[in-house]
Amino acid sequence: MLRGWAKWPKERLLAARIGDLGLHIDKSPPLKACIRRLNRELKAREFVFRPHFWLSNEWYTPDTIPGIAIPFFLAHPRLRKLEAEFMLEVEGGTQEWCMRVMRHEAGHALLNAYALNHRRDWQQIFGPSSRKYPETYLPKPHSKSFVIHLENWYAQAHPHEDWAETFAVWLRPGSDWRKRYKDWPALKKLEYVDRLMKEIRDKPPMLRNRRTLEDASRLKMTLREFYKEKQGRYGADSPVLLDRDLRRLFSDAPEHQNNEKASQYLRRLRREIIEIVGRWTSEYHYRINEVLKDMTTRCNELNLRVARDDHAMKEEIIACLTALVMSKLHSGGFHITL
């Protein structure tokens, strides 16, 4: 096990293998606090079931395992910082965000523990469990047949995700789901969850193994390899911006040649633009940043300049990027990443 790595410079740290970092949930007070909070929520609902947890490369609950994998980078502040640097956000990086994901994954773990997807009534409500997981899915943002819990309308990706999202909404303390989803078709799913959980909550799970998969302590990839693969996976789904769009935003006219360069302007406002577009589209910050990087490079090549005042310029860029991402949503769909 490596020692003192938290103080290493970035390049040296990136060369370290994940399995050599000696990471453990018990050494992370924030993760322990979230797990305790989830267990309190399950106890309040009178469940005998408790999922087990381990560190891995991402959030997930494998089939046949009644437990939850947590991304290794959440186990240490230095790794959270590295994740934010490479991906521009940390999935589950705040307690509330972490709890949203944990409730979702707890739904998957409970599904496995009690083999709920084998029940005929479950299949009638959520659909066939055997449906193949798609590489991408095309959500309907205004649909009222699904609850809204995680971003990107994740309940619409697959029957298992529909179940996990519905369970998470039901489990969250104070969610007032009957009022929130009144007159929504999704209410029938929540009412089914409510009935089913009362039926099974005091029964021992059918599946009790404590197996793990891709445990962080056994991951041989370096941090550099991890982020190369992750950035490639997230960046592959970025929308495309054309030169004509850039010329609508900026100008190459002679009368504007003394104005601020468009590339400089984009770099200056990058974080603010990413935050706003991400909030309105629910798109991953890394993907938005990839578009901005392409925009910046191409604006420099075309020698484009700012042609409007700052307020109008910012509004135009945000509107353009939001339209691009939403167009991607309605044409190519979202890649499954959770």
Side-chain angles (χ1 to χ4, degrees):
M1 185 180 72
L2 300 173
R3 298 184 182 277
W5 55 263
K7 296 181 179 179
W8 288 359
K10 184 176 72 173
E11 289 304 312
R12 183 182 178 189
L13 180 58
L14 288 172
R17 298 195 306 182
I18 296 169
D20 294 337
L21 300 178
L23 301 172
H24 200 283
I25 290 174
D26 287 343
K27 297 178 182 179
S28 173
L31 287 183
K32 289 173 63 179
C34 287
I35 291 171
R36 286 195 299 266
R37 184 173 167 183
L38 179 67
N39 286 335
R40 285 197 303 268
E41 292 177 6
L42 292 171
K43 182 179 180 180
R45 297 285 191 166
E46 301 180 17
F47 280 103
V48 298
F49 169 72
R50 299 288 187 277
H52 63 285
F53 299 85
W54 71 97
L55 297 177
S56 188
N57 54 1
E58 60 183 337
W59 288 104
Y60 66 101
T61 297
D63 291 341
T64 75
I65 298 179
I68 299 171
I70 300 174
F72 68 87
F73 53 77
L74 292 179
H76 196 284
R78 180 71 175 89
L79 298 178
R80 289 176 184 236
K81 182 178 179 181
L82 198 66
E83 175 76 6
E85 180 178 344
F86 276 91
M87 304 307 299
L88 305 181
E89 59 188 337
V90 182
E91 191 169 20
T94 65
Q95 186 178 75
E96 289 308 309
W97 194 354
C98 186
M99 290 307 304
R100 286 204 307 273
V101 182
M102 277 195 179
R103 292 185 191 108
H104 172 97
E105 296 300 338
H108 284 301
L110 190 141
L111 180 85
N112 293 343
Y114 291 92
L116 299 178
N117 55 305
H118 294 163
R119 295 174 57 125
R120 181 167 296 181
D121 57 350
W122 189 97
Q123 294 171 6
Q124 289 173 342
I125 295 292
F126 292 100
S129 178
S130 59
R131 184 183 300 169
K132 185 178 179 181
Y133 257 86
E135 290 186 7
T136 64
Y137 65 102
L138 188 61
K140 299 175 181 177
H142 301 295
S143 174
K144 293 187 176 182
S145 296
F146 303 88
V147 300
I148 299 172
H149 177 65
L150 294 178
E151 296 179 340
N152 293 346
W153 303 275
Y154 203 60
Q156 300 183 37
H158 187 272
H160 281 206
E161 305 307 336
D162 191 7
W163 157 263
E165 288 288 87
T166 307
F167 174 84
V169 168
W170 174 85
L171 180 64
R172 184 174 68 84
S175 67
D176 198 10
W177 52 267
R178 292 187 188 277
K179 181 178 179 180
R180 168 69 176 84
Y181 290 96
K182 182 181 178 181
D183 299 327
W184 284 42
L187 182 62
K188 293 182 179 179
K189 297 176 181 177
L190 285 159
E191 290 173 338
Y192 171 76
V193 171
D194 192 51
R195 293 193 304 272
L196 181 58
M197 296 303 95
K198 289 176 181 176
E199 175 188 329
I200 70 170
R201 63 189 179 188
D202 59 350
K203 296 179 180 179
M206 299 167 58
L207 195 65
R208 307 186 194 185
N209 71 69
R210 307 286 289 183
R211 289 173 50 218
T212 64
L213 192 67
E214 295 186 322
D215 193 297
S217 64
R218 297 191 293 271
L219 292 180
K220 296 182 179 180
M221 70 176 72
T222 65
L223 286 165
R224 180 177 285 107
E225 291 167 340
F226 172 78
Y227 283 112
K228 181 180 180 180
E229 186 277 332
K230 188 170 184 177
Q231 287 184 335
R233 178 158 42 94
Y234 278 60
D237 199 32
S238 296
V240 177
L241 192 74
L242 302 176
D243 284 358
R244 68 169 182 265
D245 299 312
L246 294 177
R247 288 193 168 96
R248 287 171 184 163
L249 283 172
F250 304 105
S251 173
D252 56 2
E255 63 265 30
H256 296 133
Q257 286 307 297
N258 291 328
N259 294 357
E260 182 179 12
K261 293 183 70 173
S263 56
Q264 181 179 332
Y265 182 86
L266 289 172
R267 280 191 289 267
R268 182 161 58 84
L269 295 179
R270 182 177 67 96
R271 290 191 178 277
E272 182 180 356
I273 292 169
I274 289 172
E275 183 65 32
I276 295 172
V277 175
R279 188 163 62 245
W280 280 101
T281 65
S282 298
E283 181 59 285
Y284 289 102
H285 287 193
Y286 181 78
R287 290 175 181 161
I288 299 170
N289 185 59
E290 288 297 286
V291 181
L292 272 176
K293 285 200 301 186
D294 289 343
M295 285 177 67
T296 302
T297 299
R298 190 57 181 154
C299 282
N300 200 48
E301 292 170 349
L302 297 173
N303 195 29
L304 298 178
R305 304 279 172 160
V306 172
R308 289 180 284 278
D309 65 78
D310 186 68
H311 179 73
M313 193 74 258
K314 191 186 302 181
E315 282 189 344
E316 290 275 341
I317 294 170
I318 290 169
C320 177
L321 274 176
T322 300
L324 272 173
V325 174
M326 296 308 290
S327 174
K328 175 66 178 178
L329 187 157
H330 287 290
S331 58
F334 283 108
H335 277 275
I336 302 273
T337 53
L338 183 67

